């Protein structure tokens, strides 16, 4: 199943979500899992602001993949704070995993990533956040403004995986990156036994201490009894 038609592909420039997708078995039944990814980043990094969907198998399991490509995020003037549209916040809340995209030819797009991750942490403070840091336009080495070392360091800081790709010249790298993120999200969904909160999977809280609950209940009943006797 392809994301777009061959006619649309003829108009493609550097948008990695408009790449020809390798054929996967088309499913005749309901998929076992739905994986929702959101693509985030600055302007001119290879994004469209559209929703894509397809079905395939991964590790022998039937998967329905939904990818929300959001409008670009920008830094506020002379600050490291970002300006997010409400649509982006809704997508962040909706998603199971995140793809952060910047261009190696634009340092400002790289600067957006760290405050963007902090913004996500405010929305999901206690959640597991599977993420992929993708450095696009890897074919434009002469115009490079962000080194591979800087990309690797940022990915390590955020706890994600780093891929430097060229959506224009090598779609296989993009496919590999998305597949790895899907596998990670799939494992997290499986470990949660189906329990999830409209998007990211929260860390399961510890079971309450039953002895402590009994002690508190006894104290409350004793307090009520003393109050009744006084009256």
């Amino acid at each position: 199943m392809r994301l777009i038609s061959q006619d649309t592909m003829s108009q493609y420039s550097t948008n990695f979500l408009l790449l020809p997708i390798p054929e996967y078995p088309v499913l005749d039944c309901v998929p076992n899992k739905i994986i929702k990814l959101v693509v985030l980043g600055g302007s001119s990094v290879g994004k469209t602001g559209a929703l894509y969907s397809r079905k395939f198998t991964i590790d022998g399991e039937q998967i329905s993949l939904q990818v929300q490509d959001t409008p670009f995020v920008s830094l506020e003037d002379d600050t490291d704070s970002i300006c997010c549209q409400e649509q982006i916040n809704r997508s962040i809340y909706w998603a199971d995993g995140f793809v952060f995209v910047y261009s190696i030819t634009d340092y400002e797009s790289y600067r957006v990533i760290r405050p963007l991750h902090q913004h996500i942490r405010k929305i999901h403070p206690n959640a597991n956040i599977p993420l992929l840091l993708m450095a696009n336009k890897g074919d434009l080495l002469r115009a490079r403004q962000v080194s591979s070392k800087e990309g690797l360091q940022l990915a390590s800081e955020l706890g994600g995986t780093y891929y430097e790709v060229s959506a224009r010249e090598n779609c296989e790298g993009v496919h590999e990156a998305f597949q790895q993120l899907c596998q990670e999200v799939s494992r997290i969904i499986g470990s949660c036994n189906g329990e999830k909160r409209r998007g990211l999977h929260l860390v399961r809280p510890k079971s309450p201490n039953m002895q402590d609950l009994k002690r508190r209940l006894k104290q409350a009943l004793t307090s009520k009894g003393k109050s009744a006797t006084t009256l």
Side-chain angles (χ1 to χ4, degrees):
M1 180 175 182
R2 295 182 183 273
L3 294 181
I4 58 172
S5 67
Q6 291 296 331
D7 292 337
T8 306
M9 278 304 305
S10 63
Q11 304 171 10
Y12 160 73
S13 56
T14 58
N15 189 326
F16 59 84
L17 284 180
L18 297 184
L19 292 170
I21 303 299
E23 295 292 346
Y24 291 88
V26 178
L27 304 180
D28 296 325
C29 55
V30 177
N32 294 337
K33 291 179 182 175
I34 298 176
I35 293 179
K36 297 176 289 186
L37 305 181
V38 62
V39 181
L40 301 161
S43 62
S44 302
V45 299
K47 290 165 31 58
T48 63
L51 177 66
Y52 303 87
S53 179
R54 65 186 175 92
K55 299 175 182 179
F56 63 102
T57 59
I58 187 170
D59 294 334
E61 188 171 28
Q62 299 166 347
I63 299 293
S64 175
L65 174 63
Q66 299 175 7
V67 181
Q68 175 67 62
D69 190 11
T70 62
F72 70 85
V73 177
S74 59
L75 290 172
E76 296 181 352
D77 294 340
D78 300 322
T79 69
D80 285 332
S81 300
I82 59 172
C83 180
C84 271
Q85 301 179 23
E86 182 57 32
Q87 176 185 346
I88 295 176
N89 289 330
R90 290 196 298 268
S91 296
I92 290 172
Y93 190 76
W94 165 85
D96 297 310
F98 297 89
V99 181
F100 296 105
V101 186
Y102 69 89
S103 168
I104 70 166
T105 66
D106 181 3
Y107 194 80
E108 286 302 301
S109 69
Y110 173 79
R111 287 185 57 219
V112 166
I113 302 300
R114 187 175 284 106
L116 182 55
H117 181 263
Q118 293 170 351
H119 181 71
I120 291 172
R121 270 299 178 194
K122 292 178 181 178
I123 296 176
H124 297 295
N126 301 312
N128 297 315
I129 299 182
L131 66 90
L132 167 68
L133 180 61
M134 184 173 291
N136 197 17
K137 302 188 181 181
D139 55 305
L140 303 178
L141 297 179
R142 293 186 178 182
R144 180 190 287 275
Q145 296 182 10
V146 185
S147 68
S148 297
K149 181 179 179 180
E150 289 174 303
L152 285 166
Q153 288 176 339
L154 181 56
S156 177
E157 175 187 328
L158 304 183
T161 304
Y162 173 76
Y163 276 84
E164 185 169 306
V165 302
S166 169
R168 175 179 293 170
E169 294 188 353
N170 181 18
C171 62
E172 292 303 320
V174 178
H175 299 155
E176 180 183 347
F178 269 81
Q179 183 178 23
Q180 180 169 334
L181 181 59
C182 286
Q183 288 173 328
E184 181 181 355
V185 172
S186 180
R187 285 193 296 268
I188 292 175
I189 292 176
S191 67
C192 291
N193 296 322
E195 298 180 10
K196 60 179 301 187
R197 180 186 59 85
R198 278 197 282 170
L200 287 175
H201 300 266
L202 297 177
V203 177
R204 186 193 298 263
K206 294 182 179 179
S207 299
N209 187 309
M210 296 306 298
Q211 293 297 327
D212 185 54
L213 290 177
K214 290 179 181 179
R215 178 179 57 80
R216 292 183 183 183
L217 178 60
K218 184 176 181 180
Q219 289 176 344
L221 292 175
T222 302
S223 177
K224 289 183 179 179
K226 288 182 179 179
S227 297
T229 301
T230 301
L231 292 175

